[in-house]
Every structure is written in C-alpha cells, then in structure tokens.
Amino acid sequence: MSLDIVILAAGQGTRMRSALPKVLHPVAGASMLGHVIHSARQLKPQGIHVVIGHGAEVVRERLAAGDLNFVIQAEQLGTGHAVAQAVPALSANTVLILYGDVPLIEVSTLQRLLERSGPDQVALLTVELNDPTGYGRIVRNTDGLVQAIVEHKDASAAQKLIREGNTGILAVPGARLGEWLSRLSNDNVQGEYYLTDVIAMAVGDGLVVATEQPLDAMEVQGANDRIQLAELERHYQVRTARRLMAQGVSLRDPARFDVRGEVTVGRDVQIDINVILEGQVVIEDNVQIGPNCVIRNSTLCNGAIVKANSHLDGALLGEGSDCGPYARLRPGSVLEARAHVGNFVELKNAHLGEDAKAGHLSYLGDTDIGARANIGAGTITCNYDGVNKHRTLIGADVFIGSNNALVAPVDISKGATTAAGSTITQNVGSGELAVARSRQRNIAGWQRPEKAPNT
Ligand code: UD1
Ligand code: CA
C-alpha cells in the first residue's frame, strides 16, 4: 500500500493571541506541527504534504526538510478546500489526513486506522465524547453503518444528541479523493468547503466507511488556545513519565518531571523532582539525578550521579562520575570514569580524566585534565585573551593548588604541583613545584589608621 499524508496547518489560531502561527506553538519543546510530522514519518509515506496559509513563510522556514512538500492555501475556505490544494501532488493509493494542531496522535492508532482503509473503504477516526459541542457528528443508519458527518452548526436537534464525534482524521482511497473534493459545495451554515462531506459521497458511491477509535481521547485533542496547549503539554508529560517508569526509572514525582526531546533510559535510574530533560539525553543504568536539574543533549553513563541544581548541556558523564550540587557543564564537558566535579564549578570543552577532581568554585574551559589530577578550589583557566581561545593542558596526577589562575596556552606536566594562589603563565615540568605568587612580608608593630575624633 502506498501512502500520502496531508497535514492541515493553514488556520490562523486567533485564540492563541500570538504573533506565532498556531501550529508552531510548542508542546514538550517541539512545535505541534513538528510532532505531527514526526509521527507521519514513522508511517513511511511516499509523501508528506503540509498545507500552510497563515504565517506560511515562518512555518516553512522553521520546518523545512527534504521530505516535506509545502502547499499554500492562500485563503482558508474550509478543510475540504485545504486538502484540495494538495491533490495535484498526490499519487498514492491511500491518503491520510492529519492536523498540525493535533499533536498527540499515536502512530499505533494511525496504523490501526490505515488497516481499515482500502480501495473501496474509507477509514474514519471517531471519538465518543461526553460533550460533543463543536464537533462534527457521525450519523449512522439503523444497521450502525456510517452515512455522513454533520457539522455541529449544521446539525438538527436530534443529530446534536449524537455523542460520536469526528476527530477529522481519516484515510481515503487516493483514486477517489480528487473527484469527491471537486464536488464539494460551500452551501452550509459556515459557507465552507467541508472535508467531512466526502463521507456521504463515499457512501453514495457504494464505499464502506469503517471507523476506529483512539485508545485515549487526548490523542485527537487539538489546541485552540493556550489553556488547551497546556493541557496537551501535561498529558504528553504524564505519558512520557509513565513510559520511562515502565522502563525502569523511579520518578520521585511524575507530575514534576519534564521531557522536551528524546530520552533513552536504563534500569534502576532515580530522578528527583523538577528535573527537565531536553534534546537527546541518554541515561544508563543506576544513574541518579537530584532535584532541579536541567540536562540537555547529554549522556550519563552507568552509575553517574548528578546532584541537585546542576545544569548540563552537551556533557558526557562517565561511569561512576559525579557532579554538583550546582555544577554547570557546558558543551564539550567530559568526565571520565569516577571523575568528580563539585559545587559552583563551570566546565566548557573540558576533559577530566579518570578519578580527576575539581571540587569547588572553578572555571575550567578548553582544557585537558589527566587522570587523578586535583584542581584546587577557586582555580580558573584563563582561556581567552580577548581575541583567541587557548588550551590548558594538565597532566595525570597534577595537583593544582587553590585559587590558581592558569593562563593559557600553558602545559602543566604529569605529577607537577602548583602552589596555592599562583598565576601560572609558563609551562611546568613533570614533578616540578611552581610557585607563582609574591612572597609574604610581615611588618612588625603595624599601627592601624585611626578615625579622627569628632570635633
Ligand atoms: C473539524 C471538522 C469536524 C471535527 C473537528 C475536530 C470539518 C468541516 N470539520 O471542524 O467535523 O469534529 O474538526 O476538531 O472538517 N484548516 C485549514 N484550512 C482551512 C480550514 C481549516 O488548514 O481552510 C485547518 C485548521 O487550521 C485546523 C483544521 O484544519 O487545524 C480544522 O479546521 P477547523 O476550522 O478548526 O475545523 P473544525 O471547525 O474544528
Ligand atoms: Ca478546530
């Protein structure tokens, strides 16, 4: 079966009260439309056609990708008109219609729907609603067969009692779609070309309309305003939290945990409250993450510990290494096995060898630190001369005293020691002690200045 997917994303979204086109509003860190495209791709269609209108340029710019065909709908004359704009680009046996503002639709639901479609069968996703106000109603005959969809505004009092609502998502035979759409009229209460009218046409042409339901009604929920957007966000987060717990993660409180990207997890992982995971995050077995951590595009190897209030971005924590509380690991931070980074330490492009330690109050940028080296409290690498960045090389077993300024480029060889308070501007040889501070002078009998008496 070949598949084309059409995603409707041309609407304005007035109720968002936003300069940003509605479909670009984010759920879990990605635009709603981005989520729909991500799900669409998993169905391996031959084409993904995104119908854009309001904010078309911004949408196209933000989501452009080689596998997407953007189609402009200059005027929003209805969902049927929107799909019709894509028809010239369609050639598959089956056309699946999705919506850029319905981001939580599950791939498995769409697969079930597609299984119900065929050359002589339309597959329609419907949902049983307690309050179907606003939805198109699924009209069935006495045998229970779908006959038509009637929009809420066009429905009779009796039809308004129907609680089976149209989700808008459907799969139709490609060979029929263009002809049906060309027959649509806008002679209805809203003066729109309704996609939903193809259902009655299909029945009229002798096709069967099969229906399928999502497992969870939130899958087909759209976001028209920021309240609904927040509901989708929460739902997504709860769903993600449950999936991770099922895979072996203990979440201290699943309601205080957010994923904005893709996370892979091992077993016996413990995550405390208010942790945010962003981008691509890999968490291996036995990792512990303390409260209030933001971890972005990072890998935490077996047994690594991230203590409270740490920020990681582009970091790699080796097996049994730890950082924090209050550590800031910027892109290119690598802790080898059992390396330790303590409180108020900032790393950037810094590689700490096995068992190396930087316990307190440091800035370590553009540096290679050897195994077992110890970086004293308050040490900084002066990696920037105002124009260029330079590297600091620190060998294995080096001991950097407290409050050192290491002026790069500088090379401190294996086993060297630097005295506390040193400003290291020259290389230090293996096994040497570098003392680079002024000598202490004690002045005996020193008289402190005194305040002049009040006159
Ligand atoms: C539509 C369905 C209704 C269903 C409901 C579910 C129709 C006629 N009705 O109604 O049966 O219960 O969805 O939410 O299809 N869009 C365009 N171009 C247009 C018009 C709409 O791209 O010209 C997009 C909108 O941006 C939106 C989606 O299509 O994402 C749905 O359009 P909307 O006008 O909101 O349809 P509903 O009235 O909600
Ligand atoms: Ca709608």
Side-chain angles (χ1 to χ4, degrees):
M1 180 200 77
S2 61
L3 178 66
D4 271 314
I5 297 180
V6 178
I7 303 174
L8 302 194
Q12 182 165 21
T14 319
R15 281 179 281 161
M16 284 289 178
R17 295 188 175 274
S18 174
L20 192 68
K22 173 160 90 164
V23 292
L24 293 185
H25 278 262
V27 168
S31 67
M32 291 196 280
L33 178 54
H35 283 278
V36 179
I37 291 170
H38 180 75
S39 301
R41 283 187 176 128
Q42 292 174 62
L43 296 168
K44 307 247 183 293
Q46 65 174 41
I48 300 178
H49 312 271
V50 185
V51 181
I52 52 178
H54 279 280
E57 283 320 305
V58 193
V59 175
R60 195 204 299 258
E61 199 176 291
R62 280 272 300 273
L63 289 154
D67 62 342
L68 300 182
N69 171 38
F70 288 94
V71 179
I72 300 282
Q73 185 193 23
E75 266 187 295
Q76 281 67 61
L77 302 179
T79 48
H81 178 260
V83 175
Q85 307 313 299
V87 163
L90 306 179
S91 58
N93 318 138
T94 304
V95 179
L96 174 67
I97 313 292
L98 300 176
Y99 298 83
D101 60 352
V102 181
L104 301 189
I105 185 68
E106 290 273 0
V107 174
S108 56
T109 300
L110 296 176
Q111 279 162 340
R112 277 192 287 119
L113 184 71
L114 288 170
E115 279 163 23
R116 306 298 303 279
S117 71
D120 297 314
Q121 192 151 311
V122 172
L124 180 64
L125 195 66
T126 73
V127 62
E128 207 64 38
L129 296 155
N130 289 327
D131 177 11
T133 306
Y135 282 77
R137 303 300 206 283
I138 309 301
V139 179
R140 293 179 184 267
N141 67 12
T142 47
D143 294 331
L145 298 174
V146 174
Q147 300 299 292
I149 299 176
V150 182
E151 287 305 296
H152 180 89
K153 287 181 180 156
D154 299 287
S156 66
Q159 288 167 333
K160 283 199 172 104
L161 296 176
I162 298 171
R163 287 180 39 219
E164 187 181 7
N166 173 31
T167 66
I169 294 174
L170 72 166
V172 294
R176 308 270 191 162
L177 181 63
E179 194 263 326
W180 289 338
L181 292 175
S182 71
R183 277 159 53 197
L184 289 180
S185 112
N186 64 352
D187 182 14
N188 52 53
V189 172
Q190 302 186 79
E192 290 180 5
Y193 295 92
Y194 292 160
L195 175 62
T196 45
D197 285 349
V198 304
I199 295 300
M201 292 179 186
V203 173
D205 285 354
L207 279 78
V208 171
V209 177
T211 58
E212 214 20 88
Q213 280 75 40
L215 293 180
D216 176 348
M218 284 301 279
E219 285 182 45
V220 296
Q221 184 65 53
N224 290 313
D225 57 32
R226 294 178 199 249
I227 296 168
Q228 289 174 334
L229 190 68
E231 287 166 0
L232 294 183
E233 174 80 29
R234 241 327 79 209
H235 189 81
Y236 178 95
Q237 296 303 346
V238 168
R239 194 163 93 179
T240 306
R242 290 194 174 166
R243 179 172 59 77
L244 295 182
M245 289 190 286
Q247 290 171 6
V249 176
S250 286
L251 292 173
R252 198 60 76 84
D253 182 357
R256 286 179 291 172
F257 170 68
D258 290 82
V259 173
R260 300 170 192 163
E262 283 182 27
V263 181
T264 58
V265 292
R267 301 207 299 186
D268 297 309
V269 170
Q270 291 177 39
I271 300 181
D272 213 319
I273 61 166
N274 296 336
V275 168
I276 300 175
L277 306 179
E278 296 182 345
Q280 306 283 327
V281 177
V282 176
I283 301 176
E284 295 184 355
D285 295 348
N286 304 306
V287 164
Q288 295 176 34
I289 302 173
N292 308 320
C293 292
V294 179
I295 300 175
R296 182 161 203 275
N297 296 329
S298 294
T299 297
L300 313 180
C301 297
N302 198 344
I305 300 175
V306 180
K307 293 181 188 157
N309 299 296
S310 293
H311 280 223
L312 278 61
D313 183 3
L316 172 64
L317 263 58
E319 288 196 10
S321 66
D322 75 287
C323 71
Y326 298 98
R328 175 145 189 243
L329 274 52
R330 292 167 52 202
S333 298
V334 177
L335 308 194
E336 296 281 359
R338 299 171 308 280
H340 163 71
V341 163
N343 46 200
F344 307 109
V345 172
E346 176 182 350
L347 303 188
K348 188 221 55 175
N349 247 322
H351 187 279
L352 270 69
E354 291 186 2
D355 300 291
K357 290 185 171 65
H360 328 264
L361 296 157
S362 281
Y363 170 61
L364 303 171
D366 301 308
T367 181
D368 272 313
I369 298 172
R372 298 172 302 280
N374 192 313
I375 310 297
T379 291
I380 65 160
T381 51
C382 310
N383 59 327
Y384 186 50
D385 60 14
V387 180
N388 301 302
K389 301 270 170 71
H390 302 283
R391 292 196 74 79
T392 300
L393 302 177
I394 298 174
D397 299 300
V398 163
F399 184 94
I400 302 289
S402 295
N403 206 35
N404 274 213
L406 309 174
V407 183
V410 70
D411 184 347
I412 301 163
S413 295
K414 189 173 180 354
T417 305
T418 66
S422 291
T423 298
I424 302 293
T425 56
Q426 293 167 31
N427 293 348
V428 183
S430 178
E432 290 178 348
L433 166 68
V435 186
R437 64 185 183 216
S438 53
R439 195 172 275 279
Q440 180 171 335
R441 256 186 336 141
N442 293 354
I443 299 172
W446 175 252
Q447 295 294 314
R448 292 187 196 161
E450 281 176 22
K451 271 192 186 163
N454 285 335
T455 49

Short mmCIF file of all heavy atoms in Angstrom, two decimals, residues 192-236:
data_model
loop_
_atom_site.label_atom_id
_atom_site.label_comp_id
_atom_site.label_asym_id
_atom_site.label_seq_id
_atom_site.Cartn_x
_atom_site.Cartn_y
_atom_site.Cartn_z
N GLU A 192 -18.32 27.07 4.16
CA GLU A 192 -17.00 26.47 3.94
C GLU A 192 -17.12 25.21 3.09
O GLU A 192 -18.17 24.57 3.04
CB GLU A 192 -16.37 26.08 5.29
CG GLU A 192 -15.95 27.25 6.15
CD GLU A 192 -15.32 26.80 7.47
OE1 GLU A 192 -15.13 25.58 7.66
OE2 GLU A 192 -15.05 27.68 8.30
N TYR A 193 -15.99 24.85 2.47
CA TYR A 193 -15.90 23.55 1.80
C TYR A 193 -15.46 22.53 2.84
O TYR A 193 -14.30 22.54 3.26
CB TYR A 193 -14.92 23.62 0.62
CG TYR A 193 -15.40 24.56 -0.47
CD1 TYR A 193 -15.01 25.91 -0.48
CD2 TYR A 193 -16.27 24.11 -1.46
CE1 TYR A 193 -15.47 26.78 -1.45
CE2 TYR A 193 -16.74 24.98 -2.44
CZ TYR A 193 -16.34 26.31 -2.43
OH TYR A 193 -16.80 27.16 -3.40
N TYR A 194 -16.40 21.71 3.27
CA TYR A 194 -16.14 20.76 4.36
C TYR A 194 -15.51 19.47 3.83
O TYR A 194 -16.12 18.79 2.99
CB TYR A 194 -17.45 20.35 5.03
CG TYR A 194 -18.20 21.39 5.82
CD1 TYR A 194 -19.57 21.18 6.08
CD2 TYR A 194 -17.60 22.52 6.35
CE1 TYR A 194 -20.30 22.08 6.83
CE2 TYR A 194 -18.34 23.43 7.12
CZ TYR A 194 -19.68 23.21 7.35
OH TYR A 194 -20.41 24.08 8.09
N LEU A 195 -14.38 19.10 4.37
CA LEU A 195 -13.81 17.79 4.06
C LEU A 195 -14.78 16.67 4.47
O LEU A 195 -14.87 15.63 3.81
CB LEU A 195 -12.47 17.61 4.80
CG LEU A 195 -11.81 16.25 4.67
CD1 LEU A 195 -11.46 15.94 3.21
CD2 LEU A 195 -10.56 16.18 5.54
N THR A 196 -15.50 16.93 5.54
CA THR A 196 -16.41 15.91 6.10
C THR A 196 -17.49 15.47 5.12
O THR A 196 -18.03 14.38 5.25
CB THR A 196 -17.04 16.46 7.39
OG1 THR A 196 -17.47 17.82 7.14
CG2 THR A 196 -16.04 16.48 8.52
N ASP A 197 -17.79 16.32 4.14
CA ASP A 197 -18.83 15.95 3.17
C ASP A 197 -18.41 14.79 2.26
O ASP A 197 -19.27 14.20 1.59
CB ASP A 197 -19.23 17.18 2.32
CG ASP A 197 -20.09 18.16 3.10
OD1 ASP A 197 -20.55 17.81 4.22
OD2 ASP A 197 -20.31 19.29 2.61
N VAL A 198 -17.13 14.46 2.21
CA VAL A 198 -16.73 13.33 1.36
C VAL A 198 -17.26 12.00 1.91
O VAL A 198 -17.37 11.02 1.17
CB VAL A 198 -15.19 13.21 1.14
CG1 VAL A 198 -14.61 14.51 0.57
CG2 VAL A 198 -14.46 12.78 2.39
N ILE A 199 -17.60 12.00 3.21
CA ILE A 199 -18.11 10.74 3.79
C ILE A 199 -19.42 10.33 3.11
O ILE A 199 -19.57 9.19 2.65
CB ILE A 199 -18.28 10.88 5.32
CG1 ILE A 199 -16.91 11.09 5.98
CG2 ILE A 199 -18.99 9.66 5.91
CD1 ILE A 199 -15.91 9.96 5.77
N ALA A 200 -20.36 11.28 3.01
CA ALA A 200 -21.64 10.96 2.35
C ALA A 200 -21.41 10.60 0.87
O ALA A 200 -22.08 9.72 0.32
CB ALA A 200 -22.60 12.14 2.47
N MET A 201 -20.43 11.26 0.24
CA MET A 201 -20.13 10.94 -1.17
C MET A 201 -19.60 9.51 -1.29
O MET A 201 -19.96 8.79 -2.23
CB MET A 201 -19.08 11.91 -1.72
CG MET A 201 -19.61 13.33 -1.87
SD MET A 201 -18.27 14.38 -2.50
CE MET A 201 -19.07 15.99 -2.41
N ALA A 202 -18.74 9.12 -0.35
CA ALA A 202 -18.19 7.77 -0.38
C ALA A 202 -19.33 6.75 -0.27
O ALA A 202 -19.38 5.77 -1.02
CB ALA A 202 -17.19 7.59 0.76
N VAL A 203 -20.23 7.00 0.68
CA VAL A 203 -21.37 6.10 0.87
C VAL A 203 -22.21 6.06 -0.40
O VAL A 203 -22.61 4.99 -0.87
CB VAL A 203 -22.22 6.53 2.10
CG1 VAL A 203 -23.49 5.70 2.21
CG2 VAL A 203 -21.38 6.41 3.38
N GLY A 204 -22.44 7.25 -0.98
CA GLY A 204 -23.21 7.33 -2.22
C GLY A 204 -22.57 6.54 -3.36
O GLY A 204 -23.27 5.99 -4.21
N ASP A 205 -21.24 6.48 -3.36
CA ASP A 205 -20.53 5.74 -4.41
C ASP A 205 -20.38 4.26 -4.06
O ASP A 205 -19.64 3.53 -4.73
CB ASP A 205 -19.14 6.34 -4.63
CG ASP A 205 -19.20 7.67 -5.39
OD1 ASP A 205 -20.30 8.05 -5.85
OD2 ASP A 205 -18.15 8.32 -5.54
N GLY A 206 -21.02 3.85 -2.97
CA GLY A 206 -21.02 2.43 -2.63
C GLY A 206 -19.84 1.97 -1.80
O GLY A 206 -19.61 0.77 -1.64
N LEU A 207 -19.05 2.91 -1.25
CA LEU A 207 -17.93 2.51 -0.40
C LEU A 207 -18.41 2.32 1.04
O LEU A 207 -19.44 2.85 1.44
CB LEU A 207 -16.81 3.56 -0.43
CG LEU A 207 -15.89 3.50 -1.65
CD1 LEU A 207 -16.55 4.12 -2.86
CD2 LEU A 207 -14.56 4.15 -1.34
N VAL A 208 -17.63 1.57 1.78
CA VAL A 208 -17.91 1.37 3.21
C VAL A 208 -17.07 2.39 3.99
O VAL A 208 -15.94 2.67 3.62
CB VAL A 208 -17.53 -0.07 3.63
CG1 VAL A 208 -17.59 -0.24 5.14
CG2 VAL A 208 -18.43 -1.06 2.92
N VAL A 209 -17.67 2.95 5.03
CA VAL A 209 -16.90 3.82 5.92
C VAL A 209 -16.68 3.07 7.23
O VAL A 209 -17.61 2.86 8.01
CB VAL A 209 -17.62 5.16 6.18
CG1 VAL A 209 -16.82 6.02 7.16
CG2 VAL A 209 -17.85 5.90 4.86
N ALA A 210 -15.44 2.63 7.43
CA ALA A 210 -15.09 1.90 8.65
C ALA A 210 -14.59 2.90 9.69
O ALA A 210 -13.99 3.91 9.33
CB ALA A 210 -13.99 0.89 8.35
N THR A 211 -14.84 2.62 10.94
CA THR A 211 -14.37 3.56 11.97
C THR A 211 -13.42 2.87 12.95
O THR A 211 -13.44 1.66 13.13
CB THR A 211 -15.54 4.17 12.76
OG1 THR A 211 -16.30 3.12 13.35
CG2 THR A 211 -16.44 5.01 11.86
N GLU A 212 -12.59 3.70 13.53
CA GLU A 212 -11.60 3.24 14.51
C GLU A 212 -11.58 4.33 15.58
O GLU A 212 -11.94 5.48 15.30
CB GLU A 212 -10.27 3.20 13.76
CG GLU A 212 -9.21 2.17 14.05
CD GLU A 212 -9.60 0.89 14.75
OE1 GLU A 212 -9.98 -0.09 14.09
OE2 GLU A 212 -9.46 0.88 15.98
N GLN A 213 -11.19 3.96 16.81
CA GLN A 213 -11.11 4.95 17.89
C GLN A 213 -9.70 5.01 18.47
O GLN A 213 -9.00 3.99 18.50
CB GLN A 213 -12.09 4.60 19.03
CG GLN A 213 -13.54 5.01 18.76
CD GLN A 213 -14.24 4.08 17.77
OE1 GLN A 213 -14.05 2.87 17.81
NE2 GLN A 213 -15.02 4.64 16.87
N PRO A 214 -9.30 6.17 18.93
CA PRO A 214 -8.01 6.25 19.64
C PRO A 214 -8.16 5.59 21.00
O PRO A 214 -9.26 5.53 21.54
CB PRO A 214 -7.78 7.75 19.79
CG PRO A 214 -9.16 8.35 19.80
CD PRO A 214 -10.00 7.47 18.92
N LEU A 215 -7.07 5.09 21.57
CA LEU A 215 -7.14 4.48 22.90
C LEU A 215 -7.43 5.55 23.94
O LEU A 215 -8.03 5.29 24.97
CB LEU A 215 -5.82 3.78 23.23
CG LEU A 215 -5.51 2.55 22.38
CD1 LEU A 215 -4.18 1.93 22.80
CD2 LEU A 215 -6.63 1.53 22.47
N ASP A 216 -6.99 6.76 23.65
CA ASP A 216 -7.05 7.84 24.61
C ASP A 216 -7.55 9.08 23.87
O ASP A 216 -6.98 9.47 22.85
CB ASP A 216 -5.62 8.04 25.13
CG ASP A 216 -5.49 9.19 26.09
OD1 ASP A 216 -6.44 10.00 26.22
OD2 ASP A 216 -4.43 9.28 26.72
N ALA A 217 -8.62 9.69 24.37
CA ALA A 217 -9.22 10.82 23.66
C ALA A 217 -8.26 12.01 23.50
O ALA A 217 -8.41 12.80 22.58
CB ALA A 217 -10.49 11.27 24.38
N MET A 218 -7.27 12.12 24.39
CA MET A 218 -6.33 13.23 24.27
C MET A 218 -5.50 13.17 22.99
O MET A 218 -4.96 14.16 22.54
CB MET A 218 -5.38 13.28 25.48
CG MET A 218 -6.01 13.81 26.74
SD MET A 218 -6.66 15.50 26.56
CE MET A 218 -5.16 16.45 26.76
N GLU A 219 -5.40 11.97 22.41
CA GLU A 219 -4.64 11.82 21.16
C GLU A 219 -5.21 12.68 20.04
O GLU A 219 -4.49 13.07 19.14
CB GLU A 219 -4.70 10.37 20.67
CG GLU A 219 -3.86 9.39 21.42
CD GLU A 219 -3.99 8.03 20.77
OE1 GLU A 219 -3.92 7.93 19.54
OE2 GLU A 219 -4.19 7.06 21.53
N VAL A 220 -6.52 12.91 20.10
CA VAL A 220 -7.16 13.62 18.99
C VAL A 220 -7.57 15.03 19.40
O VAL A 220 -8.29 15.72 18.68
CB VAL A 220 -8.38 12.84 18.45
CG1 VAL A 220 -7.90 11.51 17.86
CG2 VAL A 220 -9.41 12.59 19.55
N GLN A 221 -7.10 15.46 20.56
CA GLN A 221 -7.43 16.78 21.06
C GLN A 221 -6.56 17.82 20.36
O GLN A 221 -5.34 17.69 20.30
CB GLN A 221 -7.18 16.80 22.58
CG GLN A 221 -7.57 18.08 23.27
CD GLN A 221 -9.07 18.33 23.18
OE1 GLN A 221 -9.87 17.48 23.55
NE2 GLN A 221 -9.43 19.48 22.67
N GLY A 222 -7.19 18.85 19.85
CA GLY A 222 -6.44 19.96 19.26
C GLY A 222 -6.23 21.06 20.28
O GLY A 222 -6.81 21.03 21.37
N ALA A 223 -5.38 22.01 19.94
CA ALA A 223 -5.15 23.15 20.83
C ALA A 223 -5.57 24.42 20.11
O ALA A 223 -4.96 24.80 19.12
CB ALA A 223 -3.69 23.22 21.23
N ASN A 224 -6.61 25.04 20.61
CA ASN A 224 -7.06 26.29 20.00
C ASN A 224 -6.60 27.51 20.81
O ASN A 224 -6.57 28.61 20.31
CB ASN A 224 -8.58 26.32 19.90
CG ASN A 224 -9.06 25.32 18.87
OD1 ASN A 224 -8.54 25.26 17.76
ND2 ASN A 224 -10.04 24.51 19.22
N ASP A 225 -6.29 27.29 22.10
CA ASP A 225 -5.82 28.40 22.93
C ASP A 225 -4.73 27.87 23.86
O ASP A 225 -4.39 26.69 23.85
CB ASP A 225 -6.99 29.02 23.71
CG ASP A 225 -7.71 28.01 24.59
OD1 ASP A 225 -7.06 27.06 25.08
OD2 ASP A 225 -8.94 28.14 24.77
N ARG A 226 -4.19 28.77 24.65
CA ARG A 226 -3.04 28.38 25.47
C ARG A 226 -3.43 27.48 26.65
O ARG A 226 -2.58 26.78 27.20
CB ARG A 226 -2.30 29.62 25.95
CG ARG A 226 -1.66 30.38 24.79
CD ARG A 226 -0.97 31.64 25.27
NE ARG A 226 -0.74 32.58 24.19
CZ ARG A 226 0.47 32.88 23.70
NH1 ARG A 226 1.56 32.34 24.19
NH2 ARG A 226 0.59 33.75 22.72
N ILE A 227 -4.71 27.50 26.98
CA ILE A 227 -5.17 26.60 28.05
C ILE A 227 -5.14 25.17 27.54
O ILE A 227 -4.60 24.27 28.18
CB ILE A 227 -6.58 27.01 28.53
CG1 ILE A 227 -6.50 28.41 29.17
CG2 ILE A 227 -7.14 25.99 29.51
CD1 ILE A 227 -7.85 29.06 29.42
N GLN A 228 -5.68 24.98 26.33
CA GLN A 228 -5.65 23.64 25.74
C GLN A 228 -4.21 23.19 25.46
O GLN A 228 -3.88 22.01 25.60
CB GLN A 228 -6.47 23.61 24.45
CG GLN A 228 -7.98 23.72 24.75
CD GLN A 228 -8.81 23.84 23.48
OE1 GLN A 228 -8.32 24.31 22.45
NE2 GLN A 228 -10.06 23.44 23.56
N LEU A 229 -3.38 24.16 25.09
CA LEU A 229 -1.97 23.83 24.83
C LEU A 229 -1.32 23.28 26.10
O LEU A 229 -0.59 22.28 26.06
CB LEU A 229 -1.24 25.10 24.36
CG LEU A 229 0.16 24.93 23.81
CD1 LEU A 229 0.14 24.17 22.49
CD2 LEU A 229 0.83 26.29 23.61
N ALA A 230 -1.60 23.93 27.22
CA ALA A 230 -1.03 23.48 28.50
C ALA A 230 -1.58 22.10 28.88
O ALA A 230 -0.87 21.28 29.45
CB ALA A 230 -1.34 24.50 29.60
N GLU A 231 -2.84 21.83 28.53
CA GLU A 231 -3.41 20.51 28.82
C GLU A 231 -2.70 19.43 28.00
O GLU A 231 -2.40 18.35 28.50
CB GLU A 231 -4.92 20.50 28.52
CG GLU A 231 -5.72 21.26 29.57
CD GLU A 231 -7.16 21.57 29.15
OE1 GLU A 231 -7.56 21.20 28.02
OE2 GLU A 231 -7.87 22.21 29.94
N LEU A 232 -2.42 19.76 26.74
CA LEU A 232 -1.70 18.79 25.90
C LEU A 232 -0.30 18.56 26.45
O LEU A 232 0.20 17.43 26.47
CB LEU A 232 -1.61 19.30 24.45
CG LEU A 232 -2.92 19.41 23.67
CD1 LEU A 232 -2.63 19.84 22.24
CD2 LEU A 232 -3.66 18.08 23.67
N GLU A 233 0.33 19.65 26.86
CA GLU A 233 1.69 19.54 27.42
C GLU A 233 1.69 18.61 28.62
O GLU A 233 2.50 17.69 28.71
CB GLU A 233 2.18 20.93 27.85
CG GLU A 233 3.52 20.95 28.58
CD GLU A 233 4.72 20.85 27.65
OE1 GLU A 233 4.63 21.30 26.49
OE2 GLU A 233 5.75 20.31 28.10
N ARG A 234 0.76 18.82 29.56
CA ARG A 234 0.70 17.98 30.77
C ARG A 234 0.46 16.52 30.39
O ARG A 234 1.08 15.61 30.92
CB ARG A 234 -0.43 18.48 31.65
CG ARG A 234 -0.16 18.99 33.03
CD ARG A 234 0.94 18.41 33.86
NE ARG A 234 2.27 18.87 33.56
CZ ARG A 234 3.38 18.14 33.75
NH1 ARG A 234 3.31 16.93 34.25
NH2 ARG A 234 4.56 18.60 33.47
N HIS A 235 -0.47 16.34 29.45
CA HIS A 235 -0.79 14.97 29.05
C HIS A 235 0.44 14.29 28.45
O HIS A 235 0.75 13.14 28.77
CB HIS A 235 -1.93 14.97 28.05
CG HIS A 235 -2.43 13.60 27.77
ND1 HIS A 235 -3.31 12.95 28.60
CD2 HIS A 235 -2.13 12.73 26.78
CE1 HIS A 235 -3.53 11.74 28.13
NE2 HIS A 235 -2.83 11.59 27.02
N TYR A 236 1.13 15.02 27.60
CA TYR A 236 2.35 14.47 26.99
C TYR A 236 3.35 14.09 28.08
O TYR A 236 3.98 13.02 28.02
CB TYR A 236 2.97 15.54 26.07
CG TYR A 236 4.26 15.11 25.42
CD1 TYR A 236 4.26 14.55 24.14
CD2 TYR A 236 5.47 15.25 26.09
CE1 TYR A 236 5.45 14.15 23.55
CE2 TYR A 236 6.65 14.84 25.50
CZ TYR A 236 6.65 14.30 24.24
OH TYR A 236 7.81 13.90 23.66
#
